[in-house]
Amino acid sequence: MTRAALALAGVLAAGLATTSFGGPPLVAASRAAETAPYDDQLLRLAEILGALHHLRPLCGADEAQTWRNQMTVLLDAEQPAPERRRRLVDRFNQSYRGLAEIHRVCSATARDLAARYTAEGASLSRDVVARWGVH
């Protein structure tokens, strides 16, 4: 794993596994409303995780289930209502499938895209945990 990929996985594993983005009141409110104030960020993070699930192994990274597992960590930490969960999972899957159709072999473009997604995901996950996480 690259340094940025390790950072992203570490932030997700450490930050999301120990918080539910603001604790039980926010989770309970999000279940009732089917949304949370950070849903756009979570949807983007799900998209990034789906992209990395395809791109990183495609380009030789020994991470067959790393990014799918990180998505599971996100879902377990958030405990979204069924509709929110479906949106998150759909975004992960759409990203994975879309990139799988375009990038069938590792190329400079695929490597660059994976690096950009890894950096963006690390930044986004740090920001979400810092803003909404329990400290």
Side-chain angles (χ1 to χ4, degrees), residues 16-92:
L16 300 181
T18 60
T19 180
S20 56
F21 297 110
L26 191 53
V27 171
S30 70
R31 284 189 179 147
E34 291 284 332
T35 63
Y38 45 82
D39 273 357
D40 288 343
Q41 291 97 337
L42 286 188
L43 288 168
R44 179 63 179 153
L45 190 54
E47 183 178 335
I48 289 168
L49 292 172
L52 292 172
H53 185 59
H54 174 67
L55 293 171
R56 298 274 303 154
L58 179 70
C59 288
D62 186 21
E63 303 168 0
Q65 296 301 312
T66 298
W67 305 107
R68 182 185 304 260
N69 292 343
Q70 292 303 317
M71 183 66 186
T72 300
V73 168
L74 186 149
L75 292 170
D76 289 347
E78 180 61 8
Q79 300 177 3
E83 179 60 24
R84 285 183 71 225
R85 181 181 187 86
R86 185 195 58 75
R87 286 193 306 267
L88 290 164
V89 170
D90 284 352
R91 186 69 64 98
F92 177 96

